[in-house]
Amino acid sequence: MRKACIPLLLLLCALTSLYAQTPPNVSPTIPFDTDLSDPVVSGGFNSVADIQAGFNNAKRVEEGQFCLSQNSIADITMPSQAVWDNLPSDEKFLFLINAEREARAGLDYCQGEGPVMGLPFTGVELNIDYVAQNHVDFLIASQSTSVMSQEPIIDQNVVIGGSGCAGPGLGTKPNCCHQSINGGIVSYRLRSFANPPDPSTIVTEEIEAKAVYSWIYGFSFETESLSRRVVLLQNLEQGGDPASPRGFTNDYGAVSDEGFIGIGLKGGVPAPNSNGFTHIDFVILTYFDPVPQSVGCQYDCTTCDPCPIDLVENAVPINPDYYVASNSIQSAGVVQTGSVDMVAGNFIQLNSNFEVILGAVYHAQIDDCFFTLD
């Protein structure tokens, strides 16, 4: 790998995050309901319209449980039914989870932890996707529902792990391609009386929406009580110590997203003592916090956009973010505040009008680019 850093007007400044809180759990849990105005109608996950109504109605109930004004949690807007039906399962999970993570950005739940950060996940990463799928395959094969931490497996992975991962400590470690955070796995399972010809078939319609709704708004035997804290985790975990946060460290790629997820999904035969149920659909979600791009770990984001070949950024001001291109970046813009990073495979050309204002941060780096993060 080629790697070169160009120290051009690097004016370091202290950047303090004002938004760190992870939203607290709802209590009591919120049943799925497509029409809150009718006490009889609860509805189901029958269409994108039903999914949208059920998720948005749950937000209204959540607002009433806390000090939030009505309609302050941003509504989800589902794509058309045709677009939704053609999305791969991983992308459906990512869409719904990120919509929930972003919906509460800037809201303060009045529990002394400040406003919610509300950053989405960067995307689905191939290696953590394999970790999640392998675990759910094992659980189905062994007819078990005992979800286990995948931290040792992640540590041993040649791309997202490394020889320096094991042991105590937070933050970036030498020879390790992920950072440590709490609660890195959640599951959803639904047993039924189905008998598909192929037991591995997923028979639960809209399992992605059902799983995400269960993780965010309620739990039963199908999921865990800490799922919401895991799925909505930000830089500071819910109820955590600001002096020793166990959430994400937003130091990889764009400042507007953080963390990679993996989804495992499998159907099978439940354990013999499952009260007569003949089928089980099982979901595993796990994730990791990547280390800074400068470390050189070769993550494979399957949902991210391909890199542009060439990029021109002449904005005044240039929005603080991570700008990448496989060949070149040219800029005549102005870095006024925050941090701007540019990474290109062959060259970065800063024209005569390019400027970095005192107090801002600019980095230029010649390195390989595999995908964009937005």
Side-chain angles (χ1 to χ4, degrees):
M1 168 190 284
R2 292 172 296 115
K3 187 180 295 290
C5 291
I6 307 171
L8 298 175
L9 300 175
L10 303 185
L11 305 173
L12 300 179
C13 64
L15 299 178
T16 302
S17 174
L18 297 177
Y19 304 125
Q21 180 181 353
T22 295
N25 282 349
V26 294
S27 181
T29 57
I30 304 171
F32 186 85
D33 193 343
T34 58
D35 187 357
L36 291 181
S37 66
D38 189 332
V40 178
V41 176
S42 59
F45 298 78
N46 301 310
S47 65
V48 293
D50 287 340
I51 295 170
Q52 180 170 302
F55 272 79
N56 290 341
N57 286 339
K59 292 174 171 61
R60 306 292 81 82
V61 178
E62 178 178 334
E63 290 160 355
Q65 292 186 5
F66 298 94
C67 65
L68 304 175
S69 59
Q70 189 173 21
N71 299 316
S72 58
I73 304 177
D75 283 345
I76 187 172
T77 301
M78 294 291 291
S80 70
Q81 191 68 56
V83 169
W84 181 251
D85 290 343
N86 285 310
L87 282 179
S89 184
D90 277 1
E91 293 190 28
K92 289 182 178 180
F93 275 108
L94 183 67
F95 174 86
L96 293 169
I97 290 169
N98 277 348
E100 291 295 315
R101 289 174 64 83
E102 294 180 278
R104 297 159 178 81
L107 298 182
D108 194 324
Y109 280 71
C110 302
Q111 297 193 350
E113 297 177 359
V116 173
M117 194 167 196
L119 294 187
F121 286 119
T122 299
V124 177
E125 201 276 335
L126 184 64
N127 295 277
I128 195 68
D129 217 34
Y130 285 154
V131 169
Q133 187 62 50
N134 288 340
H135 189 40
V136 79
D137 288 347
F138 166 78
L139 293 171
I140 289 291
S142 59
Q143 295 183 302
S144 172
T145 57
S146 298
V147 176
M148 297 168 287
S149 169
Q150 296 299 283
E151 185 174 356
I153 308 300
I154 296 172
D155 287 351
Q156 295 164 17
N157 186 280
V158 296
V159 175
I160 62 177
S163 60
C165 294
L170 301 175
T172 304
K173 302 178 182 178
N175 302 314
C176 183
C177 281
H178 68 83
Q179 303 185 56
S180 298
I181 52 179
N182 275 341
I185 189 167
V186 296
S187 69
Y188 173 84
R189 58 189 183 271
L190 189 61
R191 295 178 293 183
S192 67
F193 295 104
N195 287 287
D198 180 356
S200 66
T201 303
I202 298 296
V203 301
T204 305
E205 293 185 7
E206 299 294 356
I207 191 170
E208 301 87 359
K210 290 177 180 177
V212 174
Y213 188 92
S214 180
W215 290 334
I216 302 298
Y217 296 107
F219 72 95
S220 63
F221 77 94
E222 300 152 342
T223 186
E224 297 85 33
S225 60
L226 296 180
S227 298
R228 177 180 166 101
R229 297 185 184 183
V230 172
V231 176
L232 299 183
L233 179 68
Q234 299 290 316
N235 288 12
L236 175 65
E237 77 278 26
Q238 199 274 317
D241 179 5
S244 182
R246 295 285 296 186
F248 288 100
T249 303
N250 190 12
D251 56 3
Y252 172 81
V255 297
S256 56
D257 48 54
E258 56 183 354
F260 285 117
I261 66 169
I263 299 287
L265 184 58
K266 186 83 168 183
V269 179
N273 60 345
S274 297
N275 297 321
F277 289 108
T278 56
H279 186 83
I280 186 170
D281 289 329
F282 216 136
V283 181
I284 291 290
L285 179 145
T286 188
Y287 57 77
F288 71 95
D289 187 8
V291 296
Q293 188 118 339
S294 58
V295 177
C297 300
Q298 300 301 302
Y299 307 125
D300 189 347
C301 180
T302 62
T303 59
C304 297
D305 296 327
C307 276
I309 298 174
D310 299 297
L311 181 66
V312 176
E313 181 52 64
N314 293 328
V316 180
I318 300 174
N319 188 48
D321 212 334
Y322 212 94
Y323 298 85
V324 291
S326 60
N327 180 48
S328 71
I329 298 178
Q330 298 184 51
S331 180
V334 178
V335 182
Q336 290 187 356
T337 60
S339 178
V340 170
D341 292 78
M342 294 183 180
V343 178
N346 289 317
F347 70 91
I348 296 174
Q349 179 178 318
L350 303 178
N351 299 326
S352 58
N353 290 332
F354 179 83
E355 185 178 2
V356 179
I357 303 299
L358 181 67
V361 180
Y362 174 75
H363 295 97
Q365 182 175 312
I366 305 302
D367 196 6
D368 296 320
C369 174
F370 298 93
F371 54 81
T372 60
L373 302 170
D374 295 324

